[in-house]
């Protein structure tokens, strides 16, 4: 999707300069006879903040032993935010096993149109410096190991209560240099505090974009009119196929794109759509992505004015976007704000990194699907003290719609449920490294 940058009228520039803004915090939404204030005006009851026990690191955590048990390389797969999630886990595991961490390997994934590695995205010197005292990290292996490939330990498909000390440590001690992809089923709550602290520090205080990438991200951020909302909207063909949901009212071109994705050779090719009772139950559990039109309706229900500046943090293949832009006109994207030379030369991880940077620095952030990016962005925004963050409630929308609610009745109920979510900080941060703070 390519949209042109819209010039800001002089009168609007003066309004923004003088602080009389149309978005924060005094906007009202009118529907019929009802008037609702914008969702951000609702007083919060809880905030999520980095827990003091790791953030302050006052010396109470167990110190790093003098001798390491060996070297570990974390193998990361998927898109950028999935790889970052695995890296965060790997940092904690390295400390758990008293291992020295080699720089992680970001595996090339043709499906994600990707070729960049860890050092192409993140500042490695900053990463090593910021993890010092929490976990050992090195740029290069010692000479006696440089020519060797690591012994691969397969953890990725482990089920149940996976224990790294029992399963992985023996291989580390035996081979001295191993690689692994973290298991999805691991129990972080069983980590000792020093391993949890390493994970938290590495994930939230040690990952900074390279100078080149951060410069490009700042240029993108500066080009967006302020104040603005960053919207992570997921409605690409592969996302719909993966969800196993059906949308019969979509356009012919969208339905064709979904069918092509379903029949592709990718990992989602066997995701057949659910039908009948199973499909209804699946949707009622909030498993189906919101369409752009549904997203626009919910934002209106929450009092977000239609003239809000919105940065669309989304993939290149987003479908049915007209259902959103017909209501919210001031939409900006990477492709509309960057030169075509810059944009066309970028790989998937680079684009995802730009979306991440803009989203953690936006005035507000709204996610339509609670994926890896949303968990990381929500946590980073909480760490920065930015609490205008909201995860749209797909389950509520599906259940209210299935009961026949529409228009003002649906909007009112959506306001109520999202108000509760916002008040309690739902979706703002993950609990492993953040603690609730009552306002």
């Amino acid at each position: 999707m390519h949209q042109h940058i819209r010039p800001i009228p002089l009168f609007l520039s003066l309004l923004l300069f003088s602080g009389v803004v149309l978005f924060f915090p005094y906007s009202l939404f009118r529907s019929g006879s009802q008037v609702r204030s914008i969702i951000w005006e609702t007083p919060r009851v809880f905030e999520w903040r980095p827990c003091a026990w790791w953030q302050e690191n006052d010396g109470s955590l167990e110190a790093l032993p003098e001798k390491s048990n060996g070297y570990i390389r974390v193998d990361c797969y998927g898109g950028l935010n999935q790889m970052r999630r695995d890296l965060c886990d790997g940092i904690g595991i390295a400390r758990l096993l008293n291992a020295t961490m080699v720089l992680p390997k970001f595996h090339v994934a043709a499906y994600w149109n990707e070729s960049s590695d860890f050092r192409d995205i993140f500042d490695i010197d900053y990463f090593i410096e910021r993890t010092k005292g929490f976990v050992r990290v090195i740029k290069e292996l010692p000479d006696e190991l440089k020519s060797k490939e690591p012994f691969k330990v397969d953890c990725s498909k482990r089920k149940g209560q996976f224990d790294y000390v029992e399963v992985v440590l023996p291989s580390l001690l035996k081979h001295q240099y191993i690689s692994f992809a973290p298991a999805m089923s691991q129990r972080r709550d069983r980590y000792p505090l020093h391993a949890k602290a390493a994970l938290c520090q590495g994930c939230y205080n040690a990952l900074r974009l390279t100078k080149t990438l951060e410069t490009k991200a700042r240029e993108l951020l500066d080009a967006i009119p302020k104040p603005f909302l960053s919207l992570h909207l997921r409605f690409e063909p592969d996302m719909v196929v993966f969800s196993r949901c059906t949308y019969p009212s979509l356009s012919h071109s969208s339905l064709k794109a979904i069918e092509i994705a379903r029949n592709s050779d990718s990992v989602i090719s066997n995701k057949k759509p659910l039908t009948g009772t199973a499909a209804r139950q699946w949707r009622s559990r909030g498993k189906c992505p919101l369409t752009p039109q549904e997203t626009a309706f919910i934002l209106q229900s929450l009092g977000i004015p239609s003239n809000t500046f919105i940065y669309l943090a989304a993939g290149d293949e987003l479908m049915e976007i007209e259902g959103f832009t017909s209501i919210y006109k001031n939409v900006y994207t990477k492709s509309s704000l960057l030169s075509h030379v810059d944009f066309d030369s970028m790989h998937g991880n680079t684009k995802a990194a730009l979306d991440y940077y803009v989203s953690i620095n936006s005035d507000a952030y709204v996610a339509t699907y609670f994926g890896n990016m949303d968990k990381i962005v929500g946590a980073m925004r909480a760490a920065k003290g930015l609490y205008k963050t909201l995860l749209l409630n797909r389950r509520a929308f599906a259940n209210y719609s299935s009961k026949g609610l529409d228009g003002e009745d649906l909007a009112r109920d959506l306001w109520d449920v999202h108000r509760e979510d916002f008040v309690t900080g739902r979706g703002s941060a993950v609990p492993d490294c953040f603690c609730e703070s009552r306002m």
Side-chain angles (χ1 to χ4, degrees):
M1 180 182 62
H2 294 272
Q3 295 183 356
H4 299 291
I5 302 177
R6 299 171 176 80
I8 306 176
L10 176 61
F11 79 91
L12 182 53
S13 300
L14 293 173
L15 284 174
L16 293 172
F17 181 78
S18 65
V20 184
V21 297
L22 302 177
F23 180 24
F24 300 111
Y26 303 115
S27 300
L28 296 178
F29 168 68
R30 179 179 297 275
S31 177
S33 59
Q34 301 293 320
V35 176
R36 275 186 296 277
S37 59
I38 196 169
I39 189 71
W40 315 125
E41 283 187 345
T42 308
R44 295 284 288 268
V45 177
F46 296 105
E47 303 288 14
W48 288 91
R49 295 172 181 167
C51 300
W53 61 264
W54 70 267
Q55 179 85 325
E56 298 174 4
N57 192 14
D58 57 4
S60 60
L61 297 172
E62 181 181 314
L64 280 168
E66 292 185 8
K67 185 178 179 181
S68 167
N69 285 330
Y71 299 89
I72 277 180
R73 187 188 76 195
V74 182
D75 290 344
C76 305
Y77 297 85
L80 176 63
N81 295 296
Q82 180 179 336
M83 291 194 288
R84 178 171 176 160
R85 180 202 65 197
D86 288 347
L87 170 58
C88 293
D89 288 335
I91 295 168
I93 295 163
R95 180 64 182 93
L96 176 69
L97 302 181
N98 182 30
T100 298
M101 214 181 148
V102 181
L103 290 179
K105 183 174 179 60
F106 282 10
H107 284 268
V108 174
Y111 174 74
W112 295 96
N113 184 28
E114 192 47 59
S115 63
S116 52
D117 204 354
F118 177 78
R119 66 178 65 237
D120 298 316
I121 302 295
F122 296 110
D123 185 330
I124 57 176
D125 292 324
Y126 184 82
F127 177 67
I128 292 172
E129 179 62 30
R130 295 290 288 175
T131 53
K132 192 174 294 183
F134 289 88
V135 64
R136 294 184 182 88
V137 183
I138 58 171
K139 289 184 184 179
E140 303 287 346
L141 285 163
D143 291 339
E144 63 270 19
L145 293 176
K146 280 184 178 179
S147 62
K148 295 183 179 180
E149 283 296 311
F151 178 81
K152 188 174 179 61
V153 181
D154 186 8
C155 308
S156 59
K157 297 181 181 179
R158 298 278 182 169
K159 302 292 184 181
Q161 298 175 352
F162 185 72
D163 192 316
Y164 283 96
V165 174
E166 291 181 5
V167 179
V168 179
L169 183 57
S171 294
L172 176 64
L173 294 172
K174 179 180 178 180
H175 299 281
Q176 285 297 290
Y177 178 33
I178 67 171
S179 68
F180 70 96
M184 289 290 293
S185 57
Q186 64 186 296
R187 293 290 301 274
R188 292 180 187 159
D189 58 317
R190 297 187 176 185
Y191 284 13
L193 281 181
H194 57 267
K196 288 184 180 179
L199 183 155
C200 298
Q201 175 69 12
C203 196
Y204 300 113
N205 280 346
L207 291 174
R208 183 174 72 182
L209 300 181
T210 63
K211 291 181 180 179
T212 300
L213 194 50
E214 188 169 275
T215 298
K216 182 60 62 180
R218 284 177 180 166
E219 290 175 2
L220 179 60
L221 179 65
D222 290 343
I224 304 170
K226 312 296 187 299
F228 74 99
L229 179 151
S230 179
L231 174 65
H232 189 209
L233 181 56
R234 297 298 312 273
F235 202 69
E236 305 89 351
D238 62 300
M239 185 68 178
V240 173
V241 173
F242 186 79
S243 73
R244 306 186 70 184
C245 301
T246 57
Y247 298 83
S249 62
L250 298 184
S251 66
H252 174 74
S253 60
S254 294
L255 293 174
K256 184 178 180 180
I258 293 169
E259 191 61 26
I260 291 173
R262 182 171 290 118
N263 294 324
S264 70
D265 295 328
S266 69
V267 294
I268 63 171
S269 58
N270 292 323
K271 291 285 185 180
K272 295 182 179 179
L274 297 171
T275 59
T277 301
R280 289 190 293 273
Q281 291 176 342
W282 191 247
R283 185 173 289 276
S284 70
R285 290 171 58 190
K287 299 295 186 179
C288 294
L290 293 166
T291 69
Q293 185 175 19
E294 291 168 343
T295 300
F297 180 85
I298 297 176
L299 292 188
Q300 283 189 302
S301 302
L302 303 182
I304 309 284
S306 60
N307 60 356
T308 298
F309 298 128
I310 294 178
Y311 174 78
L312 203 56
D316 300 334
E317 298 181 355
L318 193 63
M319 302 184 298
E320 305 287 315
I321 189 60
E322 297 80 7
F324 186 84
T325 55
S326 63
I327 298 171
Y328 288 92
K329 309 289 187 180
N330 297 319
V331 175
Y332 298 84
T333 65
K334 295 180 290 294
S335 61
S336 71
L337 296 171
L338 296 174
S339 72
H340 288 297
V341 174
D342 282 342
F343 184 78
D344 294 340
S345 65
M346 289 180 181
H347 290 285
N349 279 353
T350 305
K351 294 177 182 178
L354 296 181
D355 282 343
Y356 159 79
Y357 185 89
V358 169
S359 296
I360 66 171
N361 290 290
S362 60
D363 299 284
Y365 179 75
V366 173
T368 64
Y369 201 90
F370 199 38
N372 292 313
M373 174 173 167
D374 310 304
K375 294 171 185 176
I376 291 172
V377 168
M380 290 302 298
R381 288 178 61 81
K384 291 163 65 74
L386 301 173
Y387 294 108
K388 290 175 181 175
T389 302
L390 189 65
L391 168 65
L392 298 190
N393 196 317
R394 302 185 309 279
R395 176 180 295 195
F397 182 83
N399 288 330
Y400 292 152
S401 299
S402 67
K403 293 176 182 178
L405 292 179
D406 59 11
E408 175 56 36
D409 292 333
L410 177 58
R412 182 179 58 250
D413 284 359
L414 288 172
W415 162 266
D416 290 340
V417 73
H418 283 91
R419 177 188 179 280
E420 181 66 22
D421 290 345
F422 181 67
V423 163
T424 57
R426 177 177 174 265
S428 293
V430 290
D432 298 298
C433 304
F434 291 76
C435 297
E436 276 189 345
S437 176
R438 181 174 286 276
M439 298 300 291

